[in-house]
Amino acid sequence: MTPFQVFLQQLANGLTIGSIYALIALGYTMVYGVIQLINFAHGEVFMVGAYVGLSACLWLGLEGVAPGGAMAWGFVGVVGASILGCALLGLAVERLAYRPLRRAPRLTALITAIGLSFFLQNAVMLVYGATDRRFPALVPSVRWNLGGATVTTLQLVIWAAAGLMMAGLQVLVMRTRLGKAMRATAQDPTACWLLGIPVDRIISVTFAIGSSLAAVGGVLFGLYYHTVNFHDGYLIGLKAFTAAVLGGIGNIPGAMVGGLLLGVLETLGAGYLSAQWKHVFAFVVLVVLLLFKPTGLLGERVADRA
Amino acid sequence: MAVGALFAAATGCGPREPVVKIGFVSPLTGDQASPGQDLLKGAQLAIAQAQAEGPILPGYRLELVALDDQRSPTQAVAAAKKLVSDPDVLAVVGHLNSSCTMPASAIYHQGRLLQISPVSSNPQISRQGFDTFYRTCATDDLQGPAAARFAVKELAARTVVILDDMTTYGRGLANEFEKELTALGGRVLMHEGITQGDKDFTPLLTKIKSLQPDLLYFAGMFPEGALLIRQRYDLGVGGHFLGGDGLYDPTLILLATPQAADGIYATTIGADIRQVPTAQEFVKAYEAAYGPVGAYSAYAYEAARLVLWAIKTAGRKDRQAVLAAMKTLTDYPGVFGRQSFDERGDSRIRDIGLFTVRDGRFVFLKTVSVE
């Protein structure tokens, strides 16, 4: 392998994990955008997404299905089930845990988010058990050569799925009435309410969309690493949150860029410096960036709302 | 529910039934729950057999107290303190991980509690000079060099990359392997650590691919091992893959997929249980009770039986007497053959097993006896 091929390979590795970070980071950033809440339970929604996907695999009997059409539909079914499950979970979380606290001080909601995170972790542990669960391989493991870098079919699927989801979200937010309402709510919920925009419903929808993206991230994560564990949401959630801050929290393209960038930086750090320092490296980058640009890469300074 | 409450009330009011307890600690939840459960079943089998034979001490009921350390040293210490502070506990079988056994052994030593670890193989543990510590497995200063000799002499590996999981076990084993490897003329291109619980090793493996080593040696446990093997396969990293006993668990092949795991090698801290003549009775009894024998089950069974023997020999409910009895043990008819211990508490049975993966199963290659 030439040094350039090694670099390409590292880039491919980084973009894969970065795509998953980006999908989750979007949920953090969207919720922060509309209600200025860091939804720390979001990492757990991602983990639940992986487990719902696992259940769907088992329920559909996809263990060891021959590659081909059935498998492709199985993949779509599993992702669909996971999206549905997580969207409902997102709606329930917003309705039961955050809406009653809408007028409470922001710290109250933050503590609720942390409590909810523990609750979801333990609930999943009780339902699925505390051991690692194996995630069935829905995508056949075929290796491709892309300019010297080895890429598996699964990686292509991860890139495609993440790209599609992000493009879809961008269209939704920028081109539809719903998206316009979401952007308006992010700017000024009181004014929106006065203009007759159903603010509560818009917030609910935001949670549902953010959770759906995390669900896709969860299934892709399960497929990529073959195992899921009830505490997987913690570290990955933290990384995705970092990605959202890196890109400028509240900014949707920022979360995408932040996720991909974090994945790539982490991979390059592990590959060229030292694997032992992988996690440290990512956070050092964050701290340095925030020193020079406190709003994140694409974030703008907004007036603090009371 | 109501019956249970009545029963509890009845036993609560009456005189306490005298009991002798044996502690057991290993990860029972978390990513290493599967080998932990294998250990537990081994210990349970020994206890059940002893109970069937009659009371271990006249007038005492025998009980196994199983605690979960989640492979975390902090939890291990908490469990050890709990066992030490219970006067009914006379001995402990545990823990699994060297990083747990190490700090816990000091607490058992303070509490004068006999501890037999089934599989904690880090050599430093028995060099602390604790007279309360014994183990039924071979140590990593035997396993590491045996693996290095296999790598150099039989796999003809000249350039090697070493990875470990930075635990007491992983780092210790990797260092023993490295020492012998360099002594035999092998060249270590890189020795790096990975973090337990991490899932993405592709950056590291990409770097390794560019170094083109003849062999990749991994000293760690199977959850990380499986991901390494799988990601190494996906990236098309060439060369052999060799690891320690932490890999020897069927879950490894399940998680890594048989395709990716095919042809990897693993050493174990004892002979293949199915090849040992004295172990066949155990294998039969275990399979009848729990199904296929786990990689570590026999070590825990042996440890529990030794503990029972020591209590029986002591003849009274006294920790000091149990320790004194254990010291007198020689040529005990154990699962792996005639069992006895050196002055450090390490087993004198020093077999290292060698396995490979073929068609989705671990296949026994040979036993390397070490002097």
Side-chain angles (χ1 to χ4, degrees), chain A residues 209-278:
Chain A
I209 294 173
S211 302
S212 308
L213 295 169
V216 177
V219 173
L220 296 178
F221 178 86
L223 286 171
Y224 191 48
Y225 296 119
H226 315 288
T227 56
V228 282
N229 192 297
F230 69 96
H231 48 64
D232 277 343
Y234 173 73
L235 188 63
I236 301 294
L238 201 62
K239 289 283 181 64
F241 171 64
T242 309
V245 174
L246 191 66
I249 193 144
N251 184 303
I252 289 178
M256 301 180 192
V257 172
L260 294 174
L261 195 66
L262 186 72
V264 170
L265 283 177
E266 201 179 78
T267 306
L268 294 181
Y272 288 103
L273 298 172
S274 163
Q276 296 172 30
W277 295 89
K278 188 173 117 181

Side-chain angles (χ1 to χ4, degrees), chain B residues 135-139 142 269-271 276 278 299 302 332-342 346-352 367-371:
Chain B
R135 63 178 139 202
T136 49
C137 62
T139 49
L142 306 173
I269 42 182
V276 180
T278 44
Y299 302 93
E302 178 94 333
Y332 175 83
V335 173
F336 298 96
R338 310 214 66 84
Q339 183 70 273
S340 53
F341 296 91
D342 64 12
D346 290 339
S347 173
R348 287 191 196 276
I349 301 175
R350 289 169 179 169
D351 290 334
I352 299 295
T367 306
V368 192
S369 287
V370 193
E371 261 321 293

Side-chain angles (χ1 to χ4, degrees), chain A residues 289-301:
Chain A
L289 183 99
L290 291 184
L291 277 177
F292 291 101
K293 203 163 181 319
T295 50
L297 282 177
L298 302 181
E300 297 150 37
R301 183 172 296 277

Side-chain angles (χ1 to χ4, degrees), chain B:
Chain B
M1 193 70 190
V3 178
L6 272 175
F7 183 69
T11 49
C13 293
R16 253 163 39 116
E17 189 190 354
V19 58
V20 163
K21 292 180 191 165
I22 291 176
F24 170 90
V25 200
S26 82
L28 296 174
T29 61
D31 55 0
Q32 290 178 20
S34 129
Q37 295 286 351
D38 287 343
L39 287 177
L40 178 59
K41 287 176 198 158
Q44 278 171 338
L45 181 65
I47 300 286
Q49 286 177 348
Q51 281 166 337
E53 280 171 20
I56 176 121
L57 292 178
Y60 285 95
R61 190 165 53 84
L62 180 63
E63 198 182 300
L64 185 73
V65 188
L67 300 176
D68 179 13
D69 67 17
Q70 297 165 11
R71 75 154 161 83
S72 134
T74 339
Q75 297 291 327
V77 166
K81 284 185 173 157
K82 196 171 166 186
L83 291 173
V84 162
S85 63
D86 182 346
D88 290 335
V89 176
L90 285 190
V92 178
V93 174
H95 303 207
L96 192 164
N97 306 84
S98 292
S99 49
C100 292
T101 298
M102 191 72 134
S105 64
I107 292 164
Y108 298 128
H109 181 246
Q110 269 170 15
R112 307 305 302 143
L113 196 53
L114 168 66
Q115 174 197 12
I116 306 187
S117 172
V119 294
S120 291
S121 48
N122 185 285
Q124 299 305 327
I125 304 170
S126 55
R127 287 176 194 165
Q128 299 176 100
F130 295 158
D131 60 344
T132 45
F133 179 80
Y134 294 84
R135 63 178 139 202
T136 49
C137 62
T139 49
D140 291 339
D141 50 353
L142 306 173
Q143 183 179 202
R149 282 192 291 275
F150 173 71
V152 172
K153 292 187 178 149
E154 292 176 50
L155 297 178
R158 276 202 209 97
T159 52
V160 175
V161 167
I162 302 175
L163 298 180
D164 68 58
D165 65 3
M166 298 196 280
T167 61
T168 309
Y169 160 70
R171 200 27 69 90
L173 177 60
N175 289 343
E176 297 292 346
F177 174 83
E178 184 171 1
K179 241 190 290 173
E180 181 75 10
L181 187 91
T182 31
L184 291 172
R187 203 152 61 84
V188 178
L189 302 178
M190 179 171 90
H191 183 165
E192 269 252 42
I194 58 151
T195 320
Q196 265 196 324
D198 204 355
K199 292 203 163 179
D200 193 3
F201 304 117
T202 51
L204 187 57
L205 287 165
T206 301
K207 188 169 163 187
I208 292 169
K209 187 180 179 184
S210 70
L211 293 173
Q212 294 180 313
D214 297 333
L215 178 116
L216 173 57
Y217 183 75
F218 175 58
M221 300 298 289
F222 65 90
E224 291 77 27
L227 284 164
L228 275 171
I229 290 167
R230 173 64 198 240
Q231 289 168 13
R232 165 184 174 269
Y233 176 81
D234 282 346
L235 285 169
V237 181
H240 295 289
F241 188 98
L242 171 65
D245 63 290
L247 298 186
Y248 183 58
D249 187 300
T251 321
L252 175 95
I253 303 169
L254 192 72
L255 295 178
T257 69
Q259 212 178 351
D262 204 63
I264 67 144
Y265 298 95
T267 51
T268 57
I269 42 182
D272 179 18
I273 196 68
R274 283 166 203 87
Q275 317 288 327
V276 180
T278 44
Q280 295 322 304
E281 219 171 295
F282 157 76
V283 172
K284 227 181 282 164
Y286 188 98
E287 280 177 349
Y290 307 108
V293 179
Y296 288 155
S297 309
Y299 302 93
Y301 176 77
E302 178 94 333
R305 288 224 305 167
L306 289 166
V307 151
L308 290 166
W309 178 89
I311 295 174
K312 209 165 199 167
T313 309
R316 59 200 159 98
K317 191 177 164 182
D318 175 46
R319 286 181 184 176
Q320 204 65 45
V322 172
L323 280 174
M326 188 65 201
K327 247 194 166 62
T328 66
L329 180 133
T330 42
D331 279 345
Y332 175 83
V335 173
F336 298 96
R338 310 214 66 84
Q339 183 70 273
S340 53
F341 296 91
D342 64 12
E343 63 290 347
R344 286 176 180 156
D346 290 339
S347 173
R348 287 191 196 276
I349 301 175
R350 289 169 179 169
D351 290 334
I352 299 295
L354 183 68
F355 288 79
T356 186
V357 174
R358 225 173 272 153
D359 303 324
R361 278 177 46 240
F362 275 106
V363 178
F364 173 73
L365 290 179
K366 60 176 178 173
T367 306
V368 192
S369 287
V370 193
E371 261 321 293

